[in-house]
Amino acid sequence: EALCTISAADGACPGIINQLVAYLASEKPQVRTPALRTVGNIVTGSAAHVKAVVQAGFLDRIVGLMQDSKRTLRKEACWALSNITADTDAHKQQVIAVPQCAATLLKRVNDQADIAKEAAYVLANLFEQSGQGV
């Protein structure tokens, strides 16, 4: 909510979002985890927030995050992705286009229960039509 409050007039703050997405490439889990949790919170906001996160390259990192050995990162990645896929059909199409994303999601459905639940939400969102269809 705090990041939404400091957002620019168009509903997003690209500088902050770009930096958070860049932190997702860190080799240190203590950097990646809070950055991913924050990005996940941002994508619960408006369509402009989701668009800014996607444009910052979040989807380029999603498969690696969902495959991470750290359980928390896998769960947070699926949660963030579930929020992105709950947005527009265009965002759903962008997720579908990510190489290895679908295969990784199917693996996460067989992960620990909390991760499997988030992965299932992503898959359900991908199949739910928001008007224009997927």
Side-chain angles (χ1 to χ4, degrees):
E1 287 183 54
L3 284 175
C4 292
T5 303
I6 63 170
S7 294
D10 69 350
C13 189
I16 291 171
I17 292 171
N18 289 338
Q19 188 60 54
L20 287 166
V21 171
Y23 286 148
L24 298 175
S26 172
E27 292 184 21
K28 299 177 182 178
Q30 64 268 31
V31 172
R32 285 193 321 266
T33 302
L36 181 54
R37 189 164 290 142
T38 303
V39 168
N41 282 313
I42 291 169
V43 296
T44 65
S46 68
H49 289 103
V50 174
K51 181 180 178 182
V53 167
V54 170
Q55 287 179 335
F58 178 73
L59 296 178
D60 296 333
R61 307 210 189 281
I62 194 64
V63 172
L65 293 165
M66 288 191 300
Q67 293 175 342
D68 200 276
S69 62
K70 193 167 189 309
R71 181 194 150 286
T72 304
L73 285 170
R74 294 193 311 273
K75 179 183 175 191
E76 295 290 334
C78 289
W79 175 65
L81 197 57
S82 75
N83 287 314
I84 290 171
T85 57
D87 200 51
T88 67
D89 286 344
H91 291 135
K92 292 176 187 182
Q93 289 295 334
Q94 288 175 295
V95 169
I96 290 167
V98 174
Q100 297 300 309
C101 189
T104 303
L105 278 166
L106 291 174
K107 289 178 185 175
R108 294 296 64 93
V109 170
N110 294 311
D111 207 328
Q112 296 171 344
D114 57 339
I115 299 168
K117 179 182 84 171
E118 296 301 334
Y121 281 132
V122 176
L123 293 170
N125 289 342
L126 286 172
F127 287 104
E128 182 179 321
Q129 293 184 359
S130 63
Q132 303 132 352
V134 177

